Amino acid sequence: EKGMFGRPNCLILDEIDGADAKASIMGLVNIIREEMPAKGAKRQRRKPYLRRPIIFICNHKYAPALRSLLPYARQFDILPPSPNRLVSRLKAVLASENMTVIGGNGLLYQLVSGTGGDIRSCLYTLQFASARAREVAQKEWEIEGLKGRNERMVDISHVLGTALSGRGRGMKDERTDLMGTLTTIFRKVKMKQTTGNSRPKCTRDVERVLAAVDVFGDNSKTLDTLFINVLKESFV
């Protein structure tokens, strides 16, 4: 069907690597593999075939659910933005909302680092800090009787610094993805021996792996991926 401008609709499927139903993926594969029917063929006997490109968006293209789809897809890897570019973009967003960080870019870099470069978590944190800072500023302006309060620039340095206290984890989304969970399982981490910590290293490794699996939350997907990849990975 055509859209409101007379052009074919664009089909975009997001988070396709999270599809648990293999039948859905195989249905898409069958549509892609189906050849275009010959002219004059009866409409009732036609099988569904691909009439336009389909855009699939995923976090991990090697997820088990996408194994049958990969041979038919043209793949584009989108790299995450650099911290400098992300901080520059966050400053532009703040400026458009009449907000600023007088303390410099240090807090914004701490925010980017604490959220792992997740733009959504950064924006959520800035939204929270901006709302709180504007509320405090409004009360101060009312006491001083200042006019033009909506056009004044608001500094969010103090509120943002409070939100990022504790290594930036105060506002960080602690959820992880499947690839991060697998990396935790298959990779050893060198831990420094701290004073008073008498637990053996193997115990701490097990706790670290169990914590990563618990944060991810989807145990069935973790087990399926481990079953496929455990013999291919080297535990280093």
Side-chain angles (χ1 to χ4, degrees), residues 1-10 51-52:
E1 297 181 0
K2 294 185 178 181
M4 60 182 299
F5 298 107
R7 299 177 180 178
N9 292 323
C10 181
R51 302 183 180 184
R52 61 182 61 91

Side-chain angles (χ1 to χ4, degrees), residues 38-97:
K39 294 183 178 180
K42 293 184 178 181
R43 190 177 186 86
Q44 292 80 3
R45 298 182 180 179
R46 290 181 181 177
K47 295 183 179 179
Y49 64 96
L50 190 63
R51 302 183 180 184
R52 61 182 61 91
I54 303 176
I55 299 176
F56 300 99
I57 301 176
C58 65
N59 292 323
H60 305 294
K61 60 183 179 181
Y62 295 114
L66 303 181
R67 185 164 48 182
S68 58
L69 184 61
L70 277 182
Y72 305 97
R74 184 175 181 181
Q75 304 168 26
F76 299 91
D77 295 325
I78 308 299
L79 299 178
S82 64
N84 293 335
R85 184 176 181 183
L86 190 52
V87 167
S88 176
R89 183 57 181 165
L90 293 178
K91 290 177 62 178
V93 172
L94 288 174
S96 66
E97 298 292 334

Side-chain angles (χ1 to χ4, degrees), residues 142-163:
E142 290 177 0
I143 294 175
E144 299 176 1
L146 297 177
K147 297 182 180 180
R149 296 190 292 265
N150 295 332
E151 292 78 16
R152 290 181 175 271
M153 193 71 69
V154 178
D155 177 30
I156 66 170
S157 300
H158 178 70
V159 180
L160 182 58
T162 303

Side-chain angles (χ1 to χ4, degrees), residues 2-207:
K2 294 185 178 181
M4 60 182 299
F5 298 107
R7 299 177 180 178
N9 292 323
C10 181
L11 182 58
I12 301 177
L13 301 180
D14 194 9
E15 302 289 350
I16 190 66
D17 52 330
D20 293 329
K22 295 182 179 180
S24 301
I25 300 298
M26 288 307 303
L28 292 172
V29 173
N30 292 334
I31 293 176
I32 295 173
R33 295 177 59 183
E34 189 66 31
E35 296 182 359
M36 184 179 299
K39 294 183 178 180
K42 293 184 178 181
R43 190 177 186 86
Q44 292 80 3
R45 298 182 180 179
R46 290 181 181 177
K47 295 183 179 179
Y49 64 96
L50 190 63
R51 302 183 180 184
R52 61 182 61 91
I54 303 176
I55 299 176
F56 300 99
I57 301 176
C58 65
N59 292 323
H60 305 294
K61 60 183 179 181
Y62 295 114
L66 303 181
R67 185 164 48 182
S68 58
L69 184 61
L70 277 182
Y72 305 97
R74 184 175 181 181
Q75 304 168 26
F76 299 91
D77 295 325
I78 308 299
L79 299 178
S82 64
N84 293 335
R85 184 176 181 183
L86 190 52
V87 167
S88 176
R89 183 57 181 165
L90 293 178
K91 290 177 62 178
V93 172
L94 288 174
S96 66
E97 298 292 334
N98 288 333
M99 299 286 176
T100 184
V101 181
I102 296 180
N105 297 337
L107 286 175
L108 294 180
Y109 277 106
Q110 184 181 350
L111 174 61
V112 171
S113 176
T115 57
D118 187 349
I119 183 64
R120 289 174 297 183
S121 296
C122 292
L123 292 177
Y124 292 155
T125 304
L126 291 180
Q127 184 179 14
F128 166 81
S130 299
R132 178 56 180 164
R134 185 171 292 277
E135 180 182 353
V136 174
Q138 288 282 0
K139 294 180 180 180
E140 294 178 353
W141 293 337
E142 290 177 0
I143 294 175
E144 299 176 1
L146 297 177
K147 297 182 180 180
R149 296 190 292 265
N150 295 332
E151 292 78 16
R152 290 181 175 271
M153 193 71 69
V154 178
D155 177 30
I156 66 170
S157 300
H158 178 70
V159 180
L160 182 58
T162 303
L164 295 176
S165 61
R167 297 183 181 179
R169 299 177 63 179
M171 296 297 298
K172 181 183 177 182
D173 187 357
E174 293 291 340
R175 292 175 297 177
T176 184
D177 52 23
L178 181 59
M179 187 59 66
T181 304
L182 293 180
T183 302
T184 303
I185 295 174
F186 288 121
R187 294 293 180 266
K188 291 182 179 179
V189 176
K190 295 182 179 179
M191 298 183 179
K192 296 181 180 180
Q193 186 67 30
T194 57
T195 305
N197 190 354
S198 58
R199 292 181 303 166
K201 184 178 182 301
C202 60
T203 302
R204 287 179 287 166
D205 285 338
V206 171
E207 292 177 350

